[in-house]
Amino acid sequence: MSASGFAQFIPLILIFVIFYFLLIRPQQKRVAEHKLMITKLTRGDTVVTAGGIVGKITRIIDDEKADLEIAENINVKIIKSTISQVLSKSETK
């Protein structure tokens, strides 16, 4: 009787394992990569925000904010977590 009860949970366990490897684990990896990208931002990097704005980072204000130059002499403050892509790294050495 107990063996057949356990057998009923095998499909649920398999579904959870499939969800973990196909959905949960890749999402956690993307979040970790995004956090790493945000922490490595430096002055001069060209980035794209989640809203589609392309600009160059002129100043890192703190762990959460940065100044982004979107046109000559036009700077906006952005939340660093809204940066979706780094197009080119600065060439500072």
Side-chain angles (χ1 to χ4, degrees):
M1 227 26 195
S2 66
S4 66
F6 179 71
Q8 292 175 349
F9 287 108
I10 291 177
L12 291 175
I13 294 169
L14 288 175
I15 289 171
F16 177 75
V17 169
I18 290 170
F19 267 98
Y20 177 76
F21 283 106
L22 293 180
L23 296 174
I24 297 169
R25 191 169 170 219
Q27 179 62 26
Q28 289 175 340
K29 186 177 178 183
R30 278 192 295 273
V31 168
E33 288 173 353
H34 185 258
K35 282 183 181 181
L36 181 63
M37 177 190 69
I38 295 300
T39 58
K40 288 186 173 185
L41 286 174
T42 58
R43 184 175 178 220
D45 290 348
T46 303
V47 297
V48 178
T49 66
I53 298 173
V54 178
K56 184 182 284 189
I57 294 182
T58 57
R59 180 173 69 132
I60 303 292
I61 298 171
D62 56 25
D63 289 341
E64 296 179 5
K65 298 176 196 159
D67 274 344
L68 187 70
E69 183 178 41
I70 56 175
E72 191 172 326
N73 296 324
I74 298 177
N75 290 324
V76 293
K77 284 187 175 87
I78 61 164
I79 304 297
K80 286 170 48 174
S81 63
T82 62
I83 294 173
S84 61
Q85 185 179 9
V86 176
L87 295 178
S88 65
K89 300 294 283 178
S90 63
E91 298 299 324
T92 57
K93 293 184 181 182

